[in-house]
């Protein structure tokens, strides 16, 4: 095998500490080395050109770049005329010359040991070819509320096919029933009508109402979805919307559309029908009703899925002290929308109305979160009351009024129009005389108790995740958070769920108002388009199962954070290249060490340990082998070098994608071949990029530590630490501490 | 049906009619209430002095019932709340171990958490069940109307009591009284506290609390107030004259225990129900059903 | 001396069907208790002390004492499996500890 | 000892909505008694005066505040603990001294009157005098 080693002096910086020339001399003598080259500026155009020329002329099969951290100059070293998986980066700048700047002798020794093991690793690397796996350019949008409709329009108008499914007979969701939207106070019909006309005119959108997901199979880029559609019992083409069926139906079974609904055709809820009633069939002038119509099953294929399963209003009945359902004129804010829209109660005669905020929200026993919209909703409704008649007396009882950003303007407006805001929540509502509600409240600002009698109390109930979201949890395999909203990396990738090619829009992710729902729908649509474009080329480094070793214990299937594993045709586990996120948690957990990641196999780690010079610092110096998680710990170690923090050269770090990727057999081999301490450094608690990688790593280390105890070895020889990427000090301190401890423990008795 | 009968401190001295009527009612319902002489104070008064001592006292009583192999039925809502709360605290194993260690030191048995604690009214509603009581009614009390005072500790704290009744809109004792044919009213200050616990420290507030309910029920003209706790009865009956004097009114509202009302409907005699000990005579009621 | 499963450590191999010890046992003695989800040896006297289950257990949950013919009561033999190595720890009846590391024929 | 009961962590959850005071009947009669204020003062560590405050002894422990607290804070329980702290600091109401005395003497809050019971046809009950005394002894020793 022809191997070239390129040592960079980083314009003399590395050479200031490390004796590069002696290393060049030494390495030239190693077997299989074709060329060892020293360069002052390897990442320069000249440097790259030199490597490319060598690869071409001498036919190098592996290239070792001993220079800076692999997180620098990724672009420059990615195309050397050699498959990029055959190029090995050895981080001698951050981990040797900078980290041990005060100890040149040992830094050189460590560099040599490092070169030796990464050389061995390179010998066992495999070339990998990127896969071409174009996605179907079609998406499924689940939920026909304002978020789902907007996501569909955005995806369709960029030329992709969209299937929009909705479990109710009409699109529009909850907002269709509202009186007005804030902050501009326009009626929902206005916005929805425009959206419906866009849907109608766009051939890319396929709307399936009265439909629900039956099953989902396949994987990202190519999902296969079975949809169940319940019968509408009314022929969409024939119906002329005369309304006669509605008039004759004795059972309230006709679901009649509002003026702007889509599709604007009634539906019959056969569950409410009486057998052999048939009154509607008889009266229909165009013969559009077919009560025997059966449900349909549809089968579609899509590349990506957008969840827009929305929300449900919180039911305040469990808060019995507010007497909802027991006292007259105690209504929820949703009911108040209806009252104001349909003018069921006239507010032209001045009335006294009290709003109670945070009913159910910010309540440990019900909705522990802030429902985001209720403050604005109550302010909107207060403004409505003041608009109908300025003499309406409006009270808002609140914990904290939350009107972020420009919504503050409406809050100010409500105050100026004479809404009375009182900080204090009433504890019990009573009805001393009919139609009146009286209660007493402690005004915590005034330090006084107020006794109040009103004509109506509106409970500002909050937003709770819809049952639809929960039902889909198993079908799609999405992860929900403790409140049953869709879990996501809320800061950086809010629209991504924890499954590839499944995105979320609107209230299924968190409580939000109409404008933010539409925003998030746009973001989800963009993510979908990005996915369509990006997945034409897929990195092939997903884990592979060695079926000669695999015993089908199914641990990988259980532990995979992304549920990427299923059985192949031979009955062995296989990771789905599209669902997998390359964390290696399966590789770390396999009891038979049968799983290897594309760029870092068990075999490579094993041979690295074979050639590792255990006494590179001398016989009595303890040796720590560290596995550093890519997202946090490795960055922190790089950061230490940058900030000039030093640590003992006894530590030796290898990058792994996640702390959970380190297999127990590797640790066992390390300990049993004389390494004094094994350290796994992962993300701080609950910040693991792969959900439970560091938790699993901790549990596995505990098992090994127990085993060491049984073997009468010190259980502290293996250890887990959490390092944030911005916490290099903690890293350096723990290494120093660990070296001291190991010195006290003495040499690993298994070292030969 | 054998149960450890937890009388508490107030009932056997201050509420003899409650004890007599409960024992006789239990007899005709076929419930055996076993007296346990070892029971001590539940710990309620100690809770203001030392929480751990209070917990130990409650745990000791629970351990005694457990040793005898019987669940506890009590008549004082305060005692039941304290024992139920202690049960909830002692679900924590660490605390339980610690308490058991101390129990051992005073020569009591270990508490493991098996024993159940129920107020007699809750027991009748939940376990004995209304239909079985209905079968035993001989003289329906159709013409009577009562205002029920539950007593705060009867169902609160709800987590300790297992959420068996709704504190904002209680219904269990109403159910028991309605089964006798008598009417019960829903009134605005139904959930008001009797105030007895602060009689010694804030007498004025205590009396004003009691007065509010007495005033309302008197004005509504109910036949009597029905209670389920000796303390509440002391606040409303024993103190009725004092309370009246404080607010410048004269009350004459009979206060009955729920056991007396149910017993009356089951044909028990006035003597068996301890009516002689009623300070505000309920002759109007008893005469009707002689 | 038959294998002893440490209940706290055993996780039933998560798959809930056939744990690794059941697959590896040549005598078909190890199996899963469906009620507890933990492995156990269903016929203690048939065990040959081959220690396959001890070696393969990913949680280190199976303990084995050396049969009396070899080391008398109290003596212990603990294996630790690396990728291509095994380390045996022997503890004899006097508490003397010896360790041996061997290469195995496992592919790396 | 009270630390085991005193859910200090939970206390920090209070966001001063005032629902406890709104529903408190004592507050209705005597506005100086404000549970939400008590929680606030304890949580910011300014409760020194409170321990001397007679307001502490106005609560009937009716649990309404605990039931309705949206943050699930056991307000009554906290008040009870505050009382024990006040007692330790020596602010003991007359009544409590008497009650403790009777408890230590008889094991009951109200001394038994077996003569009265006999007249009513009820069996006599013996006082378990030593139990409470022993419990207090053990708890004192612990300190």
């Amino acid at each position: 095998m022809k191997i070239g080693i390129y040592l960079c002096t980083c314009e003399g910086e590395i050479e200031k500490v490390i004796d590069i020339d002696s290393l060049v001399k030494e390495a030239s003598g190693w077997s299989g080395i074709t060329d060892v080259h020293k360069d002052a500026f390897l990442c320069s155009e000249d440097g790259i050109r030199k490597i490319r020329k060598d690869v071409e002329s001498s036919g190098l099969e592996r290239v070792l770049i001993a220079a800076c951290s692999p997180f620098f100059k990724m672009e420059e070293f990615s195309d050397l005329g050699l498959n990029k998986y055959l190029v090995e980066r050895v981080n001698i700048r951050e981990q040797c010359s900078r980290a041990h700047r005060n100890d040149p002798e040992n830094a050189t020794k460590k560099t040599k040991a490092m070169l030796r093991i990464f050389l061995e690793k390179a010998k066992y690397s495999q070339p990998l070819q990127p896969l071409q796996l174009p996605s179907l350019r079609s998406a499924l949008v689940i939920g026909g509320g304002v978020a789902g409709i907007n996501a569909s329009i955005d995806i369709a108008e960029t030329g992709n096919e969209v299937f929009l499914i909705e479990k109710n007979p009409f699109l529009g969701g909850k907002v269709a029933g509202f009186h007005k939207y804030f902050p501009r106070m326009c009626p929902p019909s206005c916005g929805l009508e425009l959206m419906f006309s866009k849907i109608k005119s766009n051939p890319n959108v396929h709307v399936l109402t009265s439909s629900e997901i039956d099953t989902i199979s396949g994987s990202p880029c190519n999902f296969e979805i079975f949809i169940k559609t319940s019968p509408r019992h009314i022929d969409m083409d024939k119906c002329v919307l005369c309304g006669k069926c509605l008039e004759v139906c004795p059972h309230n079974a006709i679901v009649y559309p509002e003026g702007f609904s889509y599709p604007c055709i009634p539906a019959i809820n056969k569950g409410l029908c009486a057998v052999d009633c048939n009154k509607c069939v008889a009266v229909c002038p165009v013969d559009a009703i077919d009560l025997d119509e059966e449900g349909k099953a549809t089968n579609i294929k899509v590349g990506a899925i957008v969840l827009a399963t929305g929300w449900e209003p919180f039911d305040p009945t469990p808060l019995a002290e507010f007497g909802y359902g027991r006292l007259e004129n105690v209504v929820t804010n949703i009911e108040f929308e209806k009252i104001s829209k349909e003018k069921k109660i006239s507010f032209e005669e001045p009335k006294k109305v009290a709003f109670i905020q945070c009913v159910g929200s910010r309540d440990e026993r019900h909705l522990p979160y802030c429902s985001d919209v209720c403050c604005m909703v109550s302010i909107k409704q207060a403004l409505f009351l003041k608009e109908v008649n300025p003499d309406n007396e409006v009270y808002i009882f609140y914990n904290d009024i939350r009107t972020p950003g420009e919504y503050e303007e409406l809050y100010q407006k409500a105050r100026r129009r004479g809404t009375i805001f009182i900080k204090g929540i009433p504890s019990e509502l009573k009805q001393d005389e009919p139609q009146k509600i009286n209660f007493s409240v402690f005004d915590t600002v005034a330090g006084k108790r107020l006794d109040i009698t009103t004509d109506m109390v509106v409970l500002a109930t909050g937003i709770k995740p819809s049952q639809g979201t929960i039902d889909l949890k198993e079908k799609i395999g999405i992860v929900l958070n403790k409140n049953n909203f869709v879990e996501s990396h809320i800061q950086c990738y809010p629209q991504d769920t924890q499954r590839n090619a499944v995105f979320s829009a609107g209230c299924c992710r968190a409580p939000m108002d109409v404008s933010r729902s539409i925003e998030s729908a746009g973001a989800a649509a963009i993510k979908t388009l990005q996915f369509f474009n990006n997945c034409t080329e897929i990195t092939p480094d997903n884990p592979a199962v060695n079926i000669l070793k695999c015993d089908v214990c199914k641990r990988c299937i259980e532990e995979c954070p992304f549920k990427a594993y299923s059985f192949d045709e031979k009955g062995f586990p296989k990771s789905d290249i599209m669902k997998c996120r390359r964390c290696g948690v399966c590789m770390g957990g396999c009891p038979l060490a049968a799983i290897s990641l594309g760029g870092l196999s068990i075999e490579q780690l094993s041979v690295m340990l074979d050639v590792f010079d255990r006494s590179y610092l001398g016989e009595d110096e303890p040796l720590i082998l560290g596995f550093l998680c890519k997202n946090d710990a490795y960055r922190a170690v790089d950061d230490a070098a940058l900030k000039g923090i030093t640590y003992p050269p006894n530590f030796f770090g290898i990058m792994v994608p996640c702390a959970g990727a380190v297999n127990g057999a590797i640790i066992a081999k390390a300990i049993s071949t004389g390494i004094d301490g094994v350290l796994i450094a992962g993300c701080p608690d609950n910040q693991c990029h792969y959900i439970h990688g560091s938790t699993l790593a901790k549990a596995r280390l505990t098992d090994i530590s127990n085993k060491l105890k049984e073997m009468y070895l010190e259980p502290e020889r293996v250890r887990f630490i959490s390092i944030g990427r911005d916490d290099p000090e903690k890293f350096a301190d723990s290494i120093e501490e660990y070296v001291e401890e190991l010195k006290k423990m003495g040499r690993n008795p298994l070292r030969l | 049906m054998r149960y450890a009968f937890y009388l508490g401190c107030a009932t056997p001295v201050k509420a003899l009619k409650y004890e007599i009527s409960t024992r006789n009612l239990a007899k005709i319902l076929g419930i055996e209430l076993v007296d346990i002489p070892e029971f001590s104070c539940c710990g309620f008064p100690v809770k203001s002095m030392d929480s751990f001592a209070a917990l130990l006292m409650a745990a000791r009583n629970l351990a005694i019932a457990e040793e005898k192999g019987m669940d506890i039925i009590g008549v004082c809502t305060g005692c039941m709340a304290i024992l139920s709360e202690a049960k909830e605290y002692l679900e924590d194993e660490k605390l339980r171990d610690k308490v058991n260690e101390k129990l051992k030191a005073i020569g009591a048995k270990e508490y493991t958490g098996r024993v159940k604690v129920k107020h007699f009214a809750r027991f009748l509603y939940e376990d004995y069940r209304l239909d079985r009581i209905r079968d035993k009614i001989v003289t329906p009390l159709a013409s009577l109307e009562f205002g029920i005072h539950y007593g705060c500790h009867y169902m609160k704290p709800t987590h300790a009591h297992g959420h068996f009744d709704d504190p904002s809109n209680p219904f269990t004792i109403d159910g028991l009284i309605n089964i006798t044919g008598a009417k019960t009213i829903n009134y605005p200050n139904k959930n008001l506290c009797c105030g007895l616990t602060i009689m010694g420290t804030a007498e004025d507030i205590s009396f004003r609390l009691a007065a509010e309910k007495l005033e309302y029920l008197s004005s509504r003209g109910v036949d009597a107030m029905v209670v389920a706790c000796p303390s509440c009865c002391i606040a409303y009956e024993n103190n009725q004259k004092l309370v009246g004097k404080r607010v410048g009114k004269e009350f004459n509202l009979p206060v009955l225990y729920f056991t007396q009302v149910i017993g009356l409907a089951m044909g028990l005699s006035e003597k068996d129900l301890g009516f002689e000990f009623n300070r505000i005579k309920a002759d109007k009621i008893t005469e009707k059903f002689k | 001396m038959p294998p002893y499963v440490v209940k706290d450590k055993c996780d039933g191999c998560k798959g809930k069907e056939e744990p690794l010890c059941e697959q590896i046992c040549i005598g078909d003695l190890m199996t899963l208790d469906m009620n507890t989800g933990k492995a156990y040896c269903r016929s203690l006297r048939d065990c040959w002390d081959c220690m396959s289950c001890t070696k393969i257990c990913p949680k280190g949950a199976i303990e084995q004492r050396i049969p009396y013919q070899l080391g008398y009561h109290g003596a212990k033999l603990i294996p630790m499996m690396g990728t291509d190595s095994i380390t045996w720890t022997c503890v004899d009846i006097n508490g003397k500890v010896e360790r041996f590391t061997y290469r195995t024929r496992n592919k790396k | 000892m009270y630390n085991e009961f005193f859910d200090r962590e939970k206390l920090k959850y209070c966001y001063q909505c005032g629902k406890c005071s709104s529903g408190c009947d004592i507050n209705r009669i005597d506005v100086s008694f404000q549970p939400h204020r008590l929680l606030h003062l304890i949580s910011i560590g300014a409760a020194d005066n409170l321990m001397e405050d007679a307001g502490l002894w106005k609560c009937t422990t009716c649990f309404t505040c605990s039931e309705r607290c949206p943050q699930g804070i056991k307000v009554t329980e906290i008040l009870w603990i505050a009382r024990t702290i006040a007692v330790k600091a020596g602010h003991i109401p007359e009544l409590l001294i008497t009650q403790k005395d009777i408890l230590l003497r008889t094991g009951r809050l109200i001394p038994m009157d077996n003569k009265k019971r006999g007249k009513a046809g009820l069996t006599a009950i013996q006082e378990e005098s030593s139990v409470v005394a022993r419990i207090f002894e053990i708890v004192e020793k612990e300190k």
Side-chain angles (χ1 to χ4, degrees), chain A residues 361-639:
Chain A
S361 306
R362 304 179 72 199
D363 187 325
E364 265 236 323
R365 300 156 299 176
H366 304 289
L367 312 177
Y369 47 86
C370 168
S371 285
D372 194 283
V373 298
C374 333
C375 285
M376 287 305 302
V377 171
S378 293
I379 287 171
K380 172 184 81 176
Q381 291 169 346
L383 283 169
F384 160 78
L385 287 168
K386 287 287 182 188
E387 197 180 285
V388 177
N389 186 345
D391 290 338
N392 276 323
E393 271 184 76
V394 186
Y395 291 84
I396 295 184
F397 297 94
Y398 68 96
N399 275 337
D400 299 294
I401 287 286
R402 292 180 173 177
T403 52
E406 294 189 335
Y407 289 162
E408 181 70 10
E409 199 183 320
L410 283 178
Y411 176 37
Q412 297 295 353
K413 196 166 163 189
R415 278 193 173 278
R416 284 196 296 270
R417 298 259 166 103
T419 309
I420 299 167
F421 286 84
I422 292 171
K423 180 160 166 57
I425 299 287
S427 176
E428 189 173 5
L429 305 185
K430 288 178 185 167
Q431 198 138 45
D432 283 353
E433 49 180 307
Q435 303 295 329
K436 298 273 181 194
I437 298 149
N438 49 313
F439 54 89
S440 134
V441 59
F442 195 88
D443 182 333
T444 58
V445 176
K448 263 191 167 171
R449 200 182 175 81
L450 312 170
D451 286 307
I452 289 171
T453 305
T454 62
D455 297 300
M456 177 179 264
V457 169
V458 182
L459 305 178
T461 54
I463 283 179
K464 117 185 168 189
S466 74
Q467 190 55 40
T469 317
I470 299 160
D471 292 344
L472 281 174
K473 185 181 168 188
E474 289 303 315
K475 284 181 183 161
I476 307 187
I478 42 168
V479 179
L480 303 183
N481 67 15
K482 63 176 194 304
N483 299 324
N484 277 333
F485 288 107
V486 175
E487 180 85 316
S488 65
H489 192 298
I490 193 77
Q491 296 161 93
C492 304
Y493 313 104
Q495 256 53 62
D496 286 13
T497 67
Q498 292 193 336
R499 295 289 174 263
N500 278 352
V502 181
F503 308 99
S504 70
C507 283
C508 65
R509 202 198 76 228
M512 52 180 91
D513 61 20
V514 172
S515 76
R516 274 220 292 143
S517 282
I518 294 176
E519 251 177 64
S520 83
I526 284 289
K527 286 278 165 192
T528 310
L529 300 177
Q530 255 178 12
F531 177 78
F532 288 163
N533 288 344
N534 288 351
C535 67
T536 44
E537 190 175 303
I538 302 147
T539 53
D541 52 347
N542 66 314
V545 178
N546 180 350
I547 58 170
L548 294 176
K549 281 187 180 178
C550 175
D551 236 345
V552 204
C553 73
K554 298 185 275 296
R555 188 171 287 264
C556 46
I557 296 179
E558 290 295 319
E559 289 185 346
C560 174
F562 306 106
K563 298 273 167 275
Y565 271 93
S566 55
F567 294 106
D568 68 3
E569 59 278 7
K570 285 183 200 145
F572 287 100
K574 185 173 189 296
S575 66
D576 186 314
I577 194 166
M578 292 307 301
K579 288 182 183 167
C580 173
R581 294 197 183 175
R582 281 68 163 160
C583 61
V585 164
C586 49
M587 168 164 144
C590 181
L592 296 164
I595 304 179
S596 284
L597 276 171
L600 183 75
S601 65
I602 291 278
E603 190 183 23
Q604 280 175 315
L605 287 167
S606 184
V607 294
M608 281 162 91
L609 287 174
D610 283 341
V611 299
F612 193 8
D613 179 5
R614 271 123 186 107
S615 39
Y616 70 88
L617 289 178
E619 285 300 329
D620 295 325
E621 283 292 320
L623 182 56
I624 304 170
L625 179 64
F627 293 97
L628 307 169
C629 109
K630 185 166 103 186
N631 285 307
D632 275 283
Y634 199 91
R635 310 287 180 115
V637 176
D638 277 1
D639 218 23

Side-chain angles (χ1 to χ4, degrees), chain B residues 37-273:
Chain B
E38 292 95 324
F39 278 151
S40 72
C41 165
C42 65
F44 182 84
V46 183
K47 215 168 165 181
S48 299
M49 309 174 206
D50 190 304
S51 330
F52 191 66
L55 183 65
L56 273 181
M57 286 170 74
R60 180 184 166 273
N61 288 318
L62 293 172
I64 288 167
E66 203 173 81
E67 188 200 347
K68 310 257 176 203
M70 284 182 277
D71 288 338
I72 292 177
I73 282 185
V75 286
C76 172
T77 60
C79 301
M80 292 305 102
I82 288 292
L83 294 183
S84 304
E85 254 194 329
K87 256 181 79 61
E88 203 189 17
Y89 274 125
L90 294 173
E91 277 167 22
D92 178 51
E93 270 179 43
K94 257 195 208 147
L95 187 60
R96 195 167 66 214
D97 288 347
K98 189 169 172 184
V99 163
N100 276 333
E101 187 192 310
K102 298 281 177 289
L103 284 182
K104 213 171 167 186
I106 56 164
K109 284 280 180 307
E110 191 190 30
Y111 169 69
T112 61
R114 270 173 312 182
V115 67
K116 286 194 192 109
V117 177
K118 276 186 185 179
H119 188 274
F120 190 49
R122 179 185 173 189
F123 168 79
L124 291 181
Y125 188 88
E126 278 190 345
D127 298 346
Y128 198 83
R129 308 214 64 88
L130 295 183
D131 38 353
R132 278 173 72 193
I133 298 176
R134 191 188 284 120
D135 295 343
K136 294 205 163 62
I137 303 280
V138 289
T139 33
L141 311 176
S143 55
L144 296 179
E145 191 179 58
F146 295 117
I148 296 176
H149 170 79
Y150 277 77
C152 307
H153 295 168
Y154 175 66
M155 78 303 256
K156 290 184 279 191
T158 48
H159 49 86
H161 285 294
H163 300 272
F164 78 98
D165 204 342
D166 179 353
S168 300
N169 190 23
F171 54 85
T172 52
I173 301 183
D174 279 86
L176 286 174
I177 299 301
N178 287 337
I179 217 80
T180 65
K183 282 189 206 66
T184 57
I185 59 162
N186 238 336
Y187 56 105
N189 50 17
K190 190 172 178 181
N191 304 330
L192 193 61
C193 178
C194 69
L196 190 82
T197 48
I198 52 166
M199 202 176 74
T201 49
E203 193 187 77
D204 191 47
I205 301 176
S206 168
F207 280 5
R208 278 173 66 183
L209 277 175
E212 275 183 31
K213 196 168 256 198
L214 286 171
E215 267 175 59
Y216 186 85
L217 287 179
S218 299
S219 69
R220 270 293 287 265
V222 292
D223 291 294
M225 179 196 269
V226 173
V227 296
C229 172
S231 300
C232 303
C233 189
I234 294 170
Y236 291 125
E237 192 188 28
N238 300 24
N239 292 351
Q240 204 172 93
K241 284 225 166 64
L242 281 173
V243 171
K245 220 179 261 171
R246 189 68 59 96
V247 293
K249 279 197 182 131
E250 207 167 297
F251 298 119
N252 191 21
L253 182 70
V255 180
L256 305 182
Y257 284 104
F258 73 100
T259 44
Q260 289 180 298
V261 177
I262 300 173
L264 206 58
M266 291 191 178
L268 284 172
S269 71
E270 259 178 76
K271 191 173 183 324
D272 284 346
L273 296 172

Side-chain angles (χ1 to χ4, degrees), chain A residues 57-85:
Chain A
S57 59
S58 345
L60 293 180
E61 291 162 276
R62 301 285 189 275
V63 168
L64 252 69
I65 310 278
C68 49
S69 158
F71 287 109
F72 297 105
K73 310 287 175 192
M74 274 162 146
E75 269 306 297
E76 284 81 346
F77 293 122
S78 66
D79 186 15
L80 300 175
L82 190 69
N83 184 300
K84 71 172 176 185
Y85 295 94

